[in-house]
Amino acid sequence: MKKRTIYSWGAATVIFVVLMIVTPTIPQSQAYHDFADQRTFFGIPNALNVISNFPFLIIGLIGLVLCFYPDDYFRFSLRGEKLGWTCFFVGVAAVAFGSSYYHLHPDDARLVWDRLPMTIAFTSIMAIFVIERIDEHKGTYSIVPLLLVGLVSILYWRQAVICRFFDDLRPYALVQFVPCIVIPLMAILLPPMYTHSTYWLWAAGFYLLAKVEEAADKPIYSWTHHILSGHSIKHVCAAMVPVFLTLMLAKRSVQTERISLYKTWKISWTRSRGKGTEEESFECTYTNVAVEEARLDINLENMESSFRFIDQCLLISQTFMSFPHLMIISACLLIAVFSYHSFKPTHIYLIDFSCYQPPDFLRSPIANFIEHLNLSGIFDRECLDLQQKILERSGIGDDACVPVTVHEIPPHSSLSASREETHDILFTVVQDLFSKHKIDPKSIDILVSNCSLFCPSPSITSIIINKFGMRSNVKSFSLSGMGCSAGLLSINLVKDLMKIHGGSLALVLSMEAVSPNGYKGKCKSMLIANTIFRMGGAAILLSNRDQDKDKAKYKLQHLIRTHLGSDDESYESVMQEVDEEGLVGVALSKQLVKVASKALKINVVELGPRVLPYSEQIKYIISFIKRKWRKHKEKEVYTPNFKKAFEHFCIHAGGRAIIEGVEKHLKLEKEDGEASRTTLYRYGNTSSSSLWYEMQYLEAKGRMKKGDRVWQIGFGSGFKANSAVWKCITEIDSREKNAWSDRIHLYPVCGDVSG
């Protein structure tokens, strides 16, 4: 073996190893198996995705027959060609079986048999190119090694079939996509052994088109009104690759003068420039076969009459190939479309949201609340005094509401009361949102609800699906036990789902049921929850459809989640448990504010570099370095000015201490927390929905302007701190009716609304 060959293989191996080290693993996404068209015809599941593989079998068998046809039909003249093309057509025919088997029941185990025959075809083509364009002997000897490389890439990806070792697509991606780049380049730059080498480019173009259709599976299915999916059309386009290569083999002949396509195009361009407007005749420079004005000289002397259809196909193909520049432009357009669909970011748009406004008869003024506690006869004097003290300092005003059952003396909790509260809140906000935007419930693709302490069966999402008659294939998720930060967690879940499901409309429901969660014991840490939680909920409509951009209010820019569950103090800061008397309640630790500050600090460290201007980041870095080097001089690290990154702040209205703690930690002014403090005053702690009441307050006040950025900060049990950054992308009409419209002129309350 020559030193040059050894160096080449060595360099390739080093590059491969470096890529495997520096790049992250690519696991197989389970969303890959979720195809748009899942219809069943004639008892065949995913019927069109299965049936559309039939062309692979036909062309694969035709190619195999012609490879061994008498009188050397394909006129192979190089050693190893027949073996290479035989492997290729075997792989093509096997695709029909492997892909059909996979699409009958898509999963990782069956996907192995879909990708294995394709890998055989890819590696065979690479060997064939080496034989024809580089070196006959090296190409022949590379057939088996290349096939083994393809097999190893499959096993490396899906070793789970044997012993669940790896789940990494990187080697397979190299085997699949390297030929897609190398083959067109070799076809253009290296001189061919045979004529009609432009068929390689047509084959590459159809393969690229197939990948575009695969990426646009669901959009194409929608554009065709659920007649054909992109994946089914992709199979047909991919089958055109062996069709063109078979036509090339049938038509080609040994080229007397070997010249690359690049040089041929260059000569053709030079001649056309020299002739100016003169058009005497025209030469098909792709194949070096002269083409006159009125006819194409197609010489297929050895073609049998049983294959006359090939002659017609060649005539049509040759006509198109007489225009080289058109083909180049088409290929560039295909590459541009494929790149756009593959790399464009997924934008999450917030079309609108609705917050529940309880009727006035459910108001629970502080004096009434305290009176009810006294009349209930449940608590002793010490517990009553503690709850009264907490209420008076809570920052909650007289307009905050509680469910009907809490107004009763004594208050009672039951499953029916909890259902009634849930129905009242969610049915109202969902109907309001649907009516306002004329949304058909059947158009909802994703439905997520979050309610921490009330988890009925059927679930809350099932209740909504039943009430509004949503589709049977709506993707629904009911979250519970996630605490007050579950609203942003639900948004994050939708965000992740929309990375997979393009063109989707999502509905998020956030609430907490107050009816079933009153604590009747004597544990002081559990009595706090009795006083601060109030009735409320919100419905949020999200979309990743481009057509919704113009009518959306906000665009999601960042969503950062922090979970301190591994820390015992944080984990136990908010805990539902049983007291000494066997009564269930939610205990709030004295360290809650400290834990919240700790979680927020970690969250901000991750969010800061994404939103802060460089000037603030540099100040922070300099301050951090000074503190490390001069501990006795620098008492604390510089806190960045987040008002340079955001125009508005929505802090979870969990209580006066939480709001003030965040303001202190972020060095915000009292005005920055106005929306949170006012929400707490009017609606109380509505758990995960409080952030949306705060957003509506800013809208009702006319402060939200196009281009403004708002930072939502949520806290919840676990302990969790979540941040969402939204950008206003439209002009907000402050006169639009919402949960604040009836009395927005009364806020903010003069003085310290926190009491």
Side-chain angles (χ1 to χ4, degrees), residues 121-136:
F122 292 142
T123 52
S124 299
I125 287 294
M126 281 296 295
I128 290 166
F129 251 90
V130 174
I131 291 172
E132 181 186 338
R133 305 290 175 111
I134 299 177
D135 186 274
E136 178 181 353

Side-chain angles (χ1 to χ4, degrees), residues 321-513:
M321 291 182 187
S322 299
F323 302 94
H325 307 302
L326 177 62
M327 188 180 71
I328 297 173
I329 295 171
S330 301
C332 292
L333 289 174
L334 286 173
I335 293 171
V337 171
F338 179 72
S339 301
Y340 173 75
H341 279 283
S342 299
F343 301 110
K344 74 170 183 176
T346 301
H347 296 300
I348 309 299
Y349 299 107
L350 196 164
I351 297 177
D352 202 357
F353 59 100
S354 174
C355 294
Y356 177 70
Q357 184 178 4
D360 285 341
F361 67 80
L362 293 179
R363 290 171 60 249
S364 180
I366 300 300
N368 287 9
F369 199 100
I370 295 172
E371 183 181 8
H372 276 221
L373 290 177
N374 279 279
L375 295 175
S376 67
I378 297 173
F379 305 102
D380 58 24
R381 176 47 53 189
E382 184 181 1
C383 292
L384 288 170
D385 290 343
L386 175 63
Q387 292 181 82
Q388 180 175 347
K389 184 178 179 181
I390 295 171
L391 275 167
E392 291 172 348
R393 296 182 177 182
S394 65
I396 300 175
D398 290 339
D399 286 337
C401 299
V402 294
V404 173
T405 55
V406 180
H407 283 278
E408 297 176 358
I409 301 175
H412 76 277
S413 60
S414 65
L415 180 61
S416 60
S418 303
R419 285 185 184 275
E420 184 179 349
E421 179 188 355
T422 303
H423 292 180
D424 186 24
I425 294 173
L426 296 185
F427 290 176
T428 302
V429 293
V430 172
Q431 186 61 55
D432 177 61
L433 207 54
F434 284 175
S435 300
K436 181 178 178 181
H437 293 278
K438 297 180 174 57
I439 300 292
D440 181 359
K442 293 186 183 298
S443 67
I444 298 297
D445 302 293
I446 301 170
L447 177 63
V448 180
S449 73
N450 63 268
C451 183
S452 292
L453 299 178
F454 179 56
C455 186
S457 182
S459 65
I460 291 176
T461 52
S462 296
I463 293 171
I464 298 299
I465 291 170
N466 176 261
K467 170 66 177 178
F468 293 95
M470 295 183 178
R471 300 198 318 262
S472 60
N473 64 340
V474 62
K475 298 168 181 62
S476 61
F477 305 86
S478 290
L479 307 182
S480 65
M482 306 300 291
C484 299
S485 67
L488 295 185
L489 191 147
S490 298
I491 301 295
N492 186 78
L493 175 58
V494 170
K495 173 176 172 281
D496 290 341
L497 289 169
M498 283 185 168
K499 291 179 181 178
I500 302 166
H501 304 288
S504 295
L505 197 63
L507 180 65
V508 174
L509 309 174
S510 289
M511 68 163 291
E512 186 56 79

Side-chain angles (χ1 to χ4, degrees), residues 73 75 300-304:
Y73 186 83
R75 298 184 293 278
L300 299 174
E301 296 177 355
N302 296 324
M303 183 168 287
E304 298 292 335

